[in-house]
Amino acid sequence: MTSLDDLKEGIELFGSWNPNIDIGEYTLTVKQTVDHHKDGGAWVFEPPPQKFTIGALRFSLTTSDVLACFPAPGSSTPSGRLLPYVSLRDPYLPWESRKCAPSNWGKAPSMALLVFADSEIAPDDLKTGQTSELLSQTPDGRLRPDLGSSDLPKAACTTLDLSPTDLLQHLPNPVNELPLLAHVRREIRTGVEGPEKPVVTPAHSAVISNRFPRTTISANSNAKDEPCHYTAHLVSLLGHENHLVDTEALMKSTKVRLVSLWSWQFTISAATEETYADAFSNMHNDSNTKGKNRLRFTPSQPVSQKVAKRLEAGYIPMPNRVATGENTAAWYRGPLGPWPPAKKAPSPQHTPFSCADEALVYSTNEGMLDISLAAAWNIGFQLVLSRRDLFGQLLTLQSVATHYALTLAMTARSPAGPAHFASAETLEADVLTDMMAPTPMRQRFDAMMTGAKRTTGSNRLGDDLTKALTEPSRQAVAFDSAPTPVANPDHSHPLVHHAAALLERPDVVSTLKRVLRQRHLHEAAEPEASEEKVAFDISADDNPPDTWLWDAVDLLGFLPPWYLVPMADAALPPDSIRFFSIDERWLSALADGMLAVGTHTTLDHALIPHLADVVFKPRHPDQDPACGLLMRSAIVRAWPHHPTVSKDPGGTEPVADNRDPGYFTIHGAKLITRTQISPDTVLLLFDKCPKEVTLQEPGHVLQFGLDGTDSKKLRDASGTVQGTPLKVFDDLLYDDAWPGHRREILKVTDLAKKLCNNVTDDPASFAYQMLNPPACLEIKLPVS
């Protein structure tokens, strides 16, 4: 048994083995002796002999027996350089042989995969019926399998009749070629505990065909090849071993009847389609071309230096109609800026835009408007209106915040309000919290009686009342002088103005944010939370929480692709990868537009910057901006769709396997999101700049065949290609060809000699050499 541990996809191949299970009839005799301890006598029990039969799945397979087929059933593939195969869940099934099999059958399996074009099998040669009828030895000139003297079961099966010439032409040589076309393998996956403890899946067997199904030659020499429809049959060779080793009886028959255990159909199309390897090669060449690794628009005509500088920064000229009605051009750039990002001085604190016109920027160098931030504001406004979930969350939060602010304003306008608010620069957090979110009356009474109220002083009113009521003599309490009256509050301004003025106090703002985070975010996470639980579980920590409603970067996945990459055909050509940085100013304008929904009064506008701190994940301007990549290729349409998974929680060190199910491997960063923004374009966002990104072809389908169109390269145990490619289609195919077809039958033994150093009895090594590993592309981010 031979194993190869260094396959890139973690596939461990084993040579075929014979489990020494002989199929045939056996007799079981049981004899039991029981000593009854009387005069040394014993009772002897000897039931009649029982006959039984050891057999395999000789007549048909079910869907639970078959693991996979290639090409996929009913598929249309352009490749004529791959060998069809079938994988079986039972690792022993192909080698289960009969007791009377010939000695020179050797390690050959008892089944083979034959591939036929539609014109090569007559409809009458394929029959389905009862096994006892189709395989009974009747004198009609057909050579049936010798299955012994036991009665055949009345089960359904499918048979295939071939002429001796066609059978020998399609079937690999049982002595030399057939053993190389079957092997056992198991997949080794990375476990939860890391690569140190891999997870080994159950072994399964594979049977490979020896034919390269290809397109047919057109009758018109100037026309393209025509598609060809094929049918693959996994046939059982049980009972035909002697016929195939000694072909004398085989050639005397008119037809040879084989049992078809499993079959499927596929089409080899004439159209050429791009493979993963082709796409990765094009991406590699494109990324290495100087000046093409940035997301930018390339004009067809020479432009001035000022315009070229704008285009280099990722801007695109767009038609624009100004407020006065004139049609002109303006610069626009989405949230995806160039990479590496330009180094700039720290900008002052962002002041929210109240409308889109405030975000317009006029460039005196070109005499054009920059509408990027204004468009971001409008995009954010429309995004909230277009999504019911975002709209409901925002209006709920605005309503709660307005209620709290107005509650404070009403308290401030009460007769005791001015003196109370003027008593200190800042109030205790508990006092403001009780003003904003009053606790229920019963809880306030219980807290007062038990001394658990979160104010100064620890006397329990319940103890004082008990002491007063139990004293024998009680005296009247003398009150101090009457409290000093407070001047009447100023009611000349609306209540919302008073509330907006209170938001200028740091203590009020800090407490308001805490209450909103506690109540709104807590209720969003736990809708069943009661008011009591929320009222007495408010943290006094001013640090930003770990939970928030929205992340501005994640919201980019909701936007239409033309907002992110306008004129994508020019800025992002096919088979290209572009890295980008996230424009923080664009995100701020987007957030301003989202929060502007439902704002009308002075108080609404005053609450916007404070709500932004609660709603959005905090962005730190002193840190590097988020990074991402855009990939456009036809292979994106066939890429598997799975939820994004990341195995780098900290994102501080490169990891060995930080792969999402889409087969992107990110080293040194955390994958935030992966979104397919169009049928052929995928967007990936990272929390920081990764050290390397690896793209890998999905390995869910193994492929056995040639590397290029007609060649095969020799690989060592580590997978490194070495030596001169072998021209298989020119030198290693049999000369026999069917009408309208090219040569398609592989000389298995000759190819195995060249690939395996003249070793022709090692199916594991041959399968390893014929296995096409998934294509891989390693990308390093450009540096400044």
Side-chain angles (χ1 to χ4, degrees):
M1 186 181 304
T2 304
S3 64
L4 298 172
D5 300 328
D6 297 324
L7 282 176
K8 289 188 176 181
E9 269 301 282
I11 302 298
E12 189 172 354
L13 296 173
F14 294 91
S16 62
W17 69 80
N18 189 334
N20 297 322
I21 299 178
D22 292 332
I23 296 177
E25 296 181 353
Y26 295 85
T27 301
L28 176 64
T29 302
V30 179
K31 182 178 180 180
Q32 184 178 14
T33 302
V34 179
D35 188 1
H36 51 62
H37 300 289
K38 292 183 178 180
D39 302 330
W43 294 316
V44 179
F45 299 92
E46 188 172 358
Q50 299 181 5
K51 294 184 177 181
F52 65 95
T53 302
I54 295 180
L57 298 173
R58 296 181 292 170
F59 307 114
S60 65
L61 298 179
T62 64
T63 54
S64 60
D65 301 319
V66 178
L67 182 63
C69 300
F70 180 84
S75 65
S76 177
T77 173
S79 179
R81 58 184 178 85
L82 301 177
L83 297 173
Y85 71 89
V86 57
S87 295
L88 306 175
R89 297 185 186 276
D90 187 352
Y92 303 100
L93 183 59
W95 293 274
E96 291 178 337
S97 60
R98 296 191 312 136
K99 185 177 182 180
C100 57
S103 58
N104 55 353
W105 188 255
K107 296 181 179 180
S110 59
M111 55 183 62
L113 184 61
L114 307 181
V115 179
F116 303 93
D118 288 349
S119 59
E120 298 169 5
I121 300 179
D124 296 339
D125 293 337
L126 197 63
K127 300 182 182 297
T128 301
Q130 295 290 332
T131 304
S132 57
E133 298 177 0
L134 295 177
L135 299 182
S136 60
Q137 301 293 343
T138 56
D140 57 358
R142 288 181 172 84
L143 184 62
R144 291 172 171 79
D146 183 9
L147 300 177
S149 59
S150 59
D151 296 335
L152 295 174
K154 295 182 179 180
C157 75
T158 301
T159 59
L160 178 65
D161 293 340
L162 297 176
S163 66
T165 304
D166 288 345
L167 175 61
L168 296 178
Q169 188 177 7
H170 283 84
L171 184 69
N173 186 288
V175 178
N176 300 322
E177 296 183 334
L178 194 58
L180 293 171
L181 296 175
H183 63 270
V184 177
R185 66 172 179 261
R186 66 169 178 255
E187 182 179 358
I188 302 177
R189 303 174 181 173
T190 302
V192 179
E193 300 180 5
E196 298 80 10
K197 295 184 179 180
V199 177
V200 181
T201 61
H204 55 275
S205 55
V207 181
I208 311 174
S209 173
N210 66 334
R211 180 175 185 177
F212 291 101
R214 304 163 75 182
T215 55
T216 56
I217 304 174
S218 175
N220 186 356
S221 59
N222 297 326
K224 296 181 179 180
D225 292 348
E226 297 178 355
C228 186
H229 189 262
Y230 288 88
T231 302
H233 288 273
L234 180 64
V235 298
S236 173
L237 303 180
L238 290 174
H240 280 305
E241 298 93 340
N242 292 297
H243 305 152
L244 295 173
V245 172
D246 184 4
T247 60
E248 181 180 357
L250 185 72
M251 300 304 297
K252 291 181 180 180
S253 60
T254 58
K255 294 279 187 178
V256 181
R257 177 158 290 183
L258 302 171
V259 176
S260 178
L261 301 173
W262 188 262
S263 65
W264 76 95
Q265 298 177 342
F266 57 90
T267 301
I268 300 298
S269 62
T272 58
E273 296 181 8
E274 187 179 48
T275 64
Y276 281 88
D278 298 334
F280 290 166
S281 177
N282 296 336
M283 293 177 193
H284 176 74
N285 297 333
D286 179 79
S287 61
N288 287 341
T289 303
K290 186 176 181 179
K292 283 191 174 182
N293 54 9
R294 306 189 85 179
L295 187 64
R296 63 175 184 175
F297 171 74
T298 303
S300 57
Q301 300 279 338
V303 294
S304 64
Q305 184 177 2
K306 295 179 180 179
V307 174
K309 189 176 180 180
R310 278 277 183 175
L311 297 177
E312 181 72 16
Y315 287 90
I316 292 178
M318 302 287 290
N320 179 45
R321 174 174 291 183
V322 297
T324 55
E326 294 90 348
N327 292 324
T328 181
W331 292 114
Y332 175 75
R333 188 182 72 186
L336 314 184
W339 187 270
K343 297 180 179 179
K344 55 184 179 179
S347 58
Q349 186 176 1
H350 173 68
T351 302
F353 299 121
S354 61
C355 62
D357 289 343
E358 288 187 1
L360 289 173
V361 179
Y362 180 74
S363 175
T364 56
N365 292 333
E366 303 94 12
M368 296 172 58
L369 286 174
D370 182 355
I371 62 173
S372 303
L373 301 183
W377 193 97
N378 280 323
I379 292 172
F381 193 88
Q382 297 296 329
L383 177 63
V384 174
L385 295 179
S386 63
R387 294 186 61 91
R388 179 179 298 180
D389 54 344
L390 302 181
F391 184 77
Q393 292 172 357
L394 178 60
L395 288 193
T396 301
L397 183 61
Q398 286 177 339
S399 176
V400 174
T402 303
H403 170 71
Y404 289 162
L406 291 177
T407 300
L408 286 179
M410 294 177 62
T411 304
R413 290 181 58 171
S414 64
H420 188 53
F421 272 84
S423 61
E425 289 288 335
T426 59
L427 292 176
E428 294 184 9
D430 294 342
V431 176
L432 287 175
T433 300
D434 289 340
M435 292 180 183
M436 295 182 188
T439 55
M441 181 65 69
R442 180 175 179 178
Q443 292 183 11
R444 292 173 63 88
F445 178 78
D446 292 341
M448 180 177 60
M449 296 295 293
T450 59
K453 185 174 177 56
R454 296 168 301 153
T455 56
T456 58
S458 58
N459 294 332
R460 297 191 302 176
L461 182 58
D463 295 342
D464 295 339
L465 291 177
T466 303
K467 181 179 179 180
L469 293 174
T470 56
E471 290 181 357
S473 61
R474 294 186 297 270
Q475 298 179 357
V477 180
F479 290 97
D480 296 335
S481 59
T484 305
V486 181
N488 293 329
D490 184 11
H491 296 276
S492 58
H493 299 287
L495 185 63
V496 292
H497 288 188
H498 287 274
L502 285 176
L503 294 178
E504 298 178 359
R505 294 183 52 148
D507 55 335
V508 173
V509 171
S510 176
T511 308
L512 175 63
K513 293 178 182 179
R514 259 199 319 273
V515 174
L516 290 177
R517 287 171 185 147
Q518 179 64 31
R519 292 183 62 86
H520 195 76
L521 299 183
H522 183 80
E523 291 174 0
E526 301 182 20
E528 70 278 2
S530 63
E531 186 176 0
E532 294 185 12
K533 183 177 180 180
V534 174
F536 284 95
D537 190 26
I538 297 179
S539 173
D541 188 7
D542 290 332
N543 295 327
D546 294 333
T547 58
W548 50 84
L549 283 182
W550 305 330
D551 185 354
V553 177
D554 291 343
L555 293 176
L556 296 180
F558 297 152
L559 303 183
W562 53 84
Y563 290 158
L564 303 175
V565 191
M567 302 182 67
D569 292 338
L572 191 66
D575 286 341
S576 63
I577 289 181
R578 298 290 184 265
F579 287 92
F580 58 83
S581 60
I582 301 296
D583 188 351
E584 300 290 342
R585 296 187 308 158
W586 202 96
L587 293 182
S588 298
L590 176 78
D592 295 341
M594 297 179 67
L595 296 177
V597 175
T599 57
H600 305 285
T601 65
T602 304
L603 178 59
D604 295 336
H605 290 283
L607 284 171
I608 286 181
H610 311 307
L611 293 181
D613 294 339
V614 177
V615 173
F616 287 98
K617 179 181 178 180
R619 315 292 307 173
H620 301 289
D622 55 334
Q623 297 180 357
D624 293 336
C627 174
L629 69 83
L630 278 167
M631 186 183 80
R632 182 185 179 194
S633 176
I635 62 175
V636 175
R637 300 174 184 268
W639 223 303
H641 294 273
H642 295 288
T644 299
V645 176
S646 180
K647 297 181 180 179
D648 186 14
T652 57
E653 296 294 336
V655 291
D657 188 12
N658 181 16
R659 179 186 304 175
D660 78 331
Y663 304 95
F664 290 88
T665 305
I666 301 97
H667 300 275
K670 181 180 179 181
L671 181 64
I672 298 177
T673 183
R674 171 184 174 225
T675 306
Q676 187 168 338
I677 61 176
S678 68
D680 63 347
T681 306
V682 63
L683 169 70
L684 277 77
L685 292 176
F686 316 119
D687 63 337
K688 61 179 180 179
C689 174
K691 296 184 177 180
E692 185 180 83
V693 178
T694 303
L695 280 68
Q696 185 166 302
E697 177 183 2
H700 57 286
V701 176
L702 294 177
Q703 297 178 353
F704 296 92
L706 307 182
D707 300 323
T709 55
D710 61 349
S711 62
K712 187 65 183 178
K713 299 177 182 178
L714 180 65
R715 297 198 304 267
D716 57 17
S718 63
T720 304
V721 177
Q722 56 185 3
T724 305
L726 303 175
K727 297 294 183 180
V728 177
F729 282 174
D730 294 341
D731 307 327
L732 298 172
L733 295 181
Y734 286 103
D735 295 332
D736 298 333
W738 291 268
H741 286 263
R742 299 178 179 85
R743 297 183 302 155
E744 298 179 353
I745 301 298
L746 175 65
K747 296 180 180 179
V748 180
T749 306
D750 294 345
L751 180 59
K753 287 182 179 180
K754 296 180 179 295
L755 294 178
C756 304
N757 296 324
N758 293 324
V759 178
T760 59
D761 60 349
D762 187 0
S765 298
F766 180 73
Y768 170 68
Q769 293 293 341
M770 294 300 294
L771 178 64
N772 288 344
C776 185
L777 176 63
E778 296 180 355
I779 306 172
K780 295 184 181 296
L781 270 71
V783 296
S784 54

